[in-house]
Amino acid sequence: MQYKSQAVAKPYFIAAIGLFVGQILFGLIMGLQYVVGDFLFPAIPFNVARMVHTNLLIVWLLFGFMGAAYYMIPEESESELFSPKLALTMFWIFLVAGALTIVGYLTVPYAALAKMTFNDLWPTMGREFLEQPLITKLGIVVVALAFLFNISMTILKGRKTSISLVLLLGLWGLAVFFLFSFYNPSNLVLDKYFWWWTVHLWVEGVWELILGSLLAFVLIKVTGVDREIIEKWLYMIIAMTLITGIIGTGHHYYWIGTPEYWQWFGSVFSALEPIPFFMMTVFAFNMVNRRRREHPNKAATLWALGTGVMAFLGAGVWGFLHTLAPVNFFTHGTQITAAHGHMAFYGAYVMVVLTIISYAMPMLRGRAANSAKAQVMEMWAFWIMTVSIVFITLFLTAAGILQVWLQRVSTTPMGFMATQDQVALFYWLREITGVMFLVGLVVYIASFFVAGETKEAA
Amino acid sequence: MNKPSQPRFVRPCTLIWLALVTLTGVTYTIGDAGLGGRNVMLLVLAITLLKSQMIAGYFMGLRKTSLLWRAIMGGYLIVVGGMIAIAYLMGIN
Amino acid sequence: MNTQSLTIDAHEPGTPPGDLAIWFFIFAELLAFGVFFGSYAFARAHHVELFNQSQQLLNRASGAINALVLITSSYFVVRAVAAIKQGLSRQCANWLGAAIALGGVFIVIKLFEFHAKFSAGISLSTNTFYMFYLSLTIFHFMHVILGMVILAFVMAKARSGGYSIEHHTGVETGASYWHMVDLVWVILFPLVYVIR
């Protein structure tokens, strides 16, 4: 690693993986609760497990993005991080606050948690993914601002590259759109309208900028292709992201009480949202094909290529399947949604964080790449987790198609619970595959502890 | 100092501009007369695609590009024109 | 920053003029508009009477004039590229200025058109035809503005002598984008204002 301060990335990456494990465990709990409804009731009811699962996902990805930035920015700016101390302090604050929040979810009834944490002063709780108490949300803002300050000051005093600027724009965007989680209108239509300004404009907006810049960084390092070429691709990818994704927000405005024209705008623009993901796939394969060096870190290259493919499939293709209004009319809020959500999050964001960790961790540990033995194990983990997600998605898609048919399309529609009974087989299959995923994750963690001959870091 | 002479594409482009203006006038006249129906639609569509090809070929310089580029643009125009025609015909029934 | 080298701007034979990246955008934009045009056409198929009736209330003359305005401004841009290929920076800038001025004419005519409609109480929610008419033309309107901004940057650089016979990719790049804006209106006008 070229700059001493890049070392602060390490605790962020470790925390990220730790929280990832927590996320999967709670996912498995819920998967079982789908078919054994009383599992862990009343200790950990389904809705609590869900909050823990989704909140852990977001938080570990945030740790991953921060670690990535702390690793990438000093190298891109050719200048030490503005304040490594601040970065480490924020790490502990974020980790402890996050842990306390999860503990709060698990030990305190939600309504009581709300009362305890001054939700009456300024209500922000009770919305999907944004269940955090007010004080946690404020804490996130403080941590984010300190992080952005640190990174921005570093870039300001150093070299400015396309990669660092796109990353910075994405991260500032992340912070700005998080502020909408504080805006909680009492009108239900407006509530839902603005909720998407955080959720959609994150994952189908500014997070894609972060994704693009992380991918571009790793590709420059492992392929040695000209920076100019990679940066040009990056600009075109993010331009397409913004062009399609901003008005594409409309694909969440079909049925919530907004004007009918959103069914048109949302359909037309969101139909084009797969384009940037397709470009990322072509970009990744193209760069690797015309590489100028054989980098010893094969695992990182595999993760980079895999990210392109899985993001395109999960976010692009599966997203397209249910994005047009006439289709969405029938599939809205079904297992089709869950299928897309899982493959999209895994393919785009989980994988890009694992890509940067795969590239950066060895460097942080003093070598260009891990030993052949460790890399093989890591690549096994890649395949086990990725194939597992593909099957999870296929099973949920099957469940969703059956659900849509039985519950909505058929001439004698069944009720929700009766339909759930009919798709139970797919839930069992999903759970089994979920366990496979956990196995892959365990193999992944084990790969960090495999010894063997490594190459010296350049 | 000897400056190069005017590029050879200027004269054709001027003629193309005249043709475009004329065809626009024709389209407007058809609209003004309130004409409709399948044949009129096909005529207007044909004129539109012709104008588009002229802009793409001469103004944008695609005439001088390889087959690939001309095929992409041509394909695009055919698909869009085709969609409009098909949709129109669907509406007649 | 003077990056004028001793070689001409590399331009692979058989590829369109200007930076290849802009051509990617041009086709992406054409795709977006194409999807919009297709949606209009198929929506019309389900509401033929409504579309025919509402279309009558459009200002066809302003639509046609705007077509002529853009076609002519595109021609001016062609002349601008021709000028720089002769090394005539000043003339290039002037042709671009004229093109931008015509773009301004388009904007003004369009604003009058929108004003008339909005004053009559027409909005995106009036009916499906007007939803398409307003969104298509407003979407295009924004591209005209973007095109004018791009041409303005190119014009400024041409005026300050930033282009030459050997290096003028930027002029061709901006020109290509402007032609796309023109091309879209050439399809939009007959589709929305005329075909019935």
Side-chain angles (χ1 to χ4, degrees), chain A residues 175-428:
Chain A
V176 164
F177 287 118
F178 183 66
L179 294 178
F180 282 95
S181 70
F182 288 90
Y183 180 47
N184 206 347
S186 49
N187 176 302
L188 203 58
V189 179
L190 289 177
D191 168 352
K192 291 175 176 305
Y193 187 88
F194 284 105
W195 184 81
W196 288 109
W197 285 42
T198 301
V199 179
H200 171 98
L201 291 175
W202 262 20
V203 301
E204 297 174 79
V206 291
W207 278 36
E208 282 187 49
L209 270 60
I210 298 172
L211 167 60
S213 62
L214 263 57
L215 200 58
F217 178 81
V218 173
L219 286 173
I220 288 189
K221 300 296 169 184
V222 305
T223 66
V225 170
D226 241 359
R227 176 174 281 272
E228 263 189 34
I229 298 178
I230 291 195
E231 291 186 337
K232 206 171 224 178
W233 268 98
L234 181 61
Y235 278 133
M236 297 210 283
I237 288 172
I238 66 166
M240 289 312 300
T241 298
L242 296 173
I243 290 172
T244 59
I246 292 177
I247 304 190
T249 311
H251 69 176
H252 299 289
Y253 292 160
Y254 296 157
W255 325 117
I256 62 170
T258 49
E260 209 182 284
Y261 53 72
W262 281 114
Q263 287 167 38
W264 292 100
F265 295 172
S267 296
V268 167
F269 283 88
S270 69
L272 302 171
E273 279 189 46
I275 293 179
F277 285 108
F278 182 66
M279 289 171 72
M280 278 193 234
T281 313
V282 175
F283 170 49
F285 277 88
N286 209 262
M287 297 302 110
V288 171
N289 270 346
R290 42 148 115 184
R291 62 189 179 278
R292 304 249 198 101
R293 68 165 80 115
E294 290 300 326
H295 196 277
N297 197 337
K298 304 292 171 206
T301 311
L302 179 61
W303 281 110
L305 294 173
T307 303
V309 174
M310 292 300 291
F312 172 63
L313 284 179
V317 176
W318 254 256
F320 182 80
L321 291 180
H322 68 153
T323 205
L324 299 176
V327 173
N328 194 273
F329 183 76
F330 293 101
T331 66
H332 197 91
T334 64
Q335 291 301 315
I336 301 285
T337 316
H340 160 69
H342 281 83
M343 202 192 244
F345 250 113
Y346 174 77
Y349 300 116
V350 169
M351 285 182 87
V352 85
V353 169
L354 295 182
T355 300
I356 188 81
I357 292 180
S358 182
Y359 171 76
M361 236 350 179
M363 304 289 273
L364 291 166
R365 296 166 89 184
R367 52 220 191 208
N370 290 328
S371 66
K373 201 154 164 236
Q375 285 196 46
V376 166
M377 195 178 255
E378 191 183 340
M379 293 195 272
W380 266 106
F382 166 94
W383 285 111
I384 297 173
M385 284 197 278
T386 301
V387 170
S388 297
I389 271 286
V390 169
F391 276 98
I392 288 174
T393 304
L394 289 173
F395 292 137
L396 289 180
T397 305
I401 293 176
L402 188 53
Q403 178 187 15
V404 169
W405 177 258
L406 291 175
Q407 198 180 320
R408 293 183 179 168
V409 173
S410 131
T411 44
T412 52
M414 284 168 93
F416 176 82
M417 289 311 290
T419 312
Q420 291 298 297
D421 280 339
Q422 294 298 309
V423 301
L425 170 66
F426 294 115
Y427 292 149
W428 280 112

Side-chain angles (χ1 to χ4, degrees), chain A residues 12-24 53-67 94 207 345-346 349-354 357 437 441 444:
Chain A
Y12 280 90
F13 289 151
I14 296 175
I17 302 301
L19 295 173
F20 183 18
V21 175
Q23 180 215 344
I24 299 310
H53 176 71
T54 57
N55 282 220
L56 277 177
L57 168 69
I58 303 296
V59 172
W60 87 252
L61 289 177
L62 289 179
F63 271 105
F65 291 161
M66 292 182 186
F94 195 21
W207 278 36
F345 250 113
Y346 174 77
Y349 300 116
V350 169
M351 285 182 87
V352 85
V353 169
L354 295 182
I357 292 180
F437 185 91
L441 182 51
Y444 175 74

Side-chain angles (χ1 to χ4, degrees), chain C residues 68-83:
Chain C
L68 294 174
V69 163
L70 283 184
I71 287 170
T72 309
S73 77
S74 257
Y75 174 69
F76 286 174
V77 163
V78 170
R79 296 301 300 261
V81 172

Side-chain angles (χ1 to χ4, degrees), chain C residues 74-93:
Chain C
S74 257
Y75 174 69
F76 286 174
V77 163
V78 170
R79 296 301 300 261
V81 172
I84 200 61
K85 281 188 186 295
Q86 294 182 264
L88 303 166
S89 284
R90 175 75 61 75
Q91 271 197 32
C92 172

Side-chain angles (χ1 to χ4, degrees), chain C residues 50-120:
Chain C
L50 175 72
F51 272 57
N52 282 344
Q53 260 183 28
S54 302
Q55 188 188 51
Q56 299 282 53
L57 303 173
L58 289 187
N59 190 335
R60 205 175 304 106
S62 79
I65 294 174
N66 270 343
L68 294 174
V69 163
L70 283 184
I71 287 170
T72 309
S73 77
S74 257
Y75 174 69
F76 286 174
V77 163
V78 170
R79 296 301 300 261
V81 172
I84 200 61
K85 281 188 186 295
Q86 294 182 264
L88 303 166
S89 284
R90 175 75 61 75
Q91 271 197 32
C92 172
N94 290 342
W95 280 114
L96 288 175
I100 294 172
L102 280 181
V105 170
F106 180 97
I107 297 292
V108 168
I109 295 179
K110 210 75 207 113
L111 285 174
F112 273 108
E113 207 182 319
F114 287 144
H115 177 75
K117 289 288 174 296
F118 293 144
S119 311

